[in-house]
Amino acid sequence: MTTAFGRALCAMITPFTTSGALDLDGAQRLAAHLVAQGCDGLVLSGTTGESPTTTDAEKSALIAAVREAVGDRASIVAGIGTPDTRHTVDLAREAEKAGADGLLVVAPYYSRPPQDAIEAHFREIADASELPLMLYDIPFRTGIRIEPETILRLSAHPRIVAVKDCSCDFLAAQKVLARTDLAYYAGSDEHNLALYAVGGAGYVSTVSNVVPDRLRAVLDAFDAGDTTQAARLQQQATPLIEALMSAGLPGTVTAKALLTALGLPAGPVRAPLRPADDKTTDELLSLYKTLITT
């Protein structure tokens, strides 16, 4: 099994001030907290990081600020995916300059290119910098899969080293795991243990914004050979995972609501997203308190 960027990666929210500006101080404080609570790596400007509504300059500034905060205590993977290959290449180079350790690149959405064009897109980006690249397969957002055969071909590229899997296709993941050395990360928290148990590298988790230590404990128990405890810990986290990720609101919205309730840096979401209401926040906080006391 290859880990590439560590095992326990947080898909970190991007903190904003009350006026909606980028909150670099808050990002540094949150990043330091997450690493202290067990995150091996931080994925910045991904889906949870509201990448569609942050500027290129904000993305670079965020990488530099978080790098300063965590030093070499955690890897930093920069989300740079756009539907435009040229733009994504530019972002790859800027992320490298800003201090990222790796790149998270989503399939080129909206245009829905065929698989040979998707493959060419990823190859051009991988050739644009010296940073290792994590493919991001999330078809319910992009409208297209990175098909397993495409991933298999891309695995031959020396800088394409990992996959964040949000395809919910467990069979396809196992097929790629069996035939490559790619580090396969669960991108949906309900799959964290299941994918790890068949050779996955770990997870890239939205839920770890709020309970990083509890999610890492699942992997630690499995590595220690206590699979019963690992399963128990995963099951205990399930109600909060469901509330954060499957309650009808984007995970960014629910994670920011709970972080704010916990007194951690988060701030508002940017439009077109809207904040969670008080009822939702109270329910999340109740589930959080139940989990941390079990």
Side-chain angles (χ1 to χ4, degrees):
M1 182 185 68
T2 304
T3 55
F5 305 109
R7 299 178 309 151
L9 277 62
C10 178
M12 196 178 100
I13 60 102
T14 300
F16 299 129
T17 66
T18 54
S19 65
L22 182 63
D23 181 4
L24 292 178
D25 177 69
Q28 289 186 316
R29 288 187 286 119
L30 179 61
H33 165 78
L34 293 171
V35 172
Q37 292 295 308
C39 291
D40 300 320
L42 303 171
V43 177
L44 307 179
S45 299
T47 304
T48 305
E50 298 179 75
S51 58
T53 54
T54 57
T55 67
D56 293 0
E58 286 175 327
K59 289 178 173 66
S60 291
L62 182 64
I63 295 166
V66 171
R67 176 91 284 160
E68 181 180 31
V70 304
D72 60 1
R73 292 178 293 128
S75 64
I76 295 176
V77 181
I80 62 161
T82 81
D84 177 355
T85 303
R86 290 180 298 175
H87 186 193
T88 309
V89 163
D90 289 341
L91 287 175
R93 291 170 177 156
E94 290 305 312
E96 185 174 24
K97 292 176 186 176
D101 297 303
L103 306 171
L104 176 73
V105 188
V106 73
Y109 47 89
Y110 191 77
S111 299
R112 302 185 68 184
Q115 291 296 306
D116 62 338
I118 293 171
E119 182 178 347
H121 171 83
F122 284 121
R123 288 186 183 278
E124 186 168 343
I125 296 158
D127 288 338
S129 82
E130 296 301 315
L131 296 181
L133 188 150
M134 180 187 296
L135 307 175
Y136 186 8
D137 189 18
I138 184 167
F140 73 91
R141 286 185 181 271
T142 61
I144 50 172
R145 283 288 308 272
I146 311 172
E147 295 291 347
E149 291 301 319
T150 303
I151 295 174
L152 289 171
R153 291 191 298 273
L154 287 168
S155 70
H157 193 290
R159 282 189 293 279
I160 296 177
V161 302
V163 177
K164 178 184 178 184
D165 179 33
C166 290
S167 70
C168 298
D169 186 343
F170 203 60
L171 178 60
Q174 291 179 80
K175 287 167 62 177
V176 175
L177 277 167
R179 294 172 60 185
T180 75
D181 292 324
L182 290 172
Y184 235 81
Y185 290 92
S188 301
D189 282 278
E190 64 270 24
H191 296 159
N192 288 354
L193 177 58
L195 189 57
Y196 196 63
V198 295
Y203 54 72
V204 177
S205 164
T206 295
V207 178
S208 65
N209 278 281
V210 293
V211 284
D213 52 342
R214 298 297 297 226
L215 296 189
R216 185 188 178 99
V218 175
L219 305 188
D220 289 343
F222 187 88
D223 284 347
D226 193 345
T227 57
T228 300
Q229 175 68 352
R232 183 181 298 114
L233 291 170
Q234 178 74 35
Q235 291 160 10
Q236 287 173 350
T238 297
L240 182 60
I241 291 171
E242 182 177 18
L244 281 163
M245 306 304 297
S246 303
L249 290 173
T252 303
V253 173
T254 51
K256 280 196 163 183
L258 185 48
L259 282 168
T260 299
L262 296 172
L264 289 164
V269 291
R270 283 184 175 172
L273 295 179
R274 298 317 241 182
D277 58 27
D278 290 343
K279 181 176 181 292
T280 299
T281 302
D282 289 344
E283 290 171 350
L284 290 168
L285 189 56
S286 176
L287 288 168
Y288 168 85
K289 289 178 177 177
T290 297
L291 175 58
I292 65 170
T293 57
T294 54

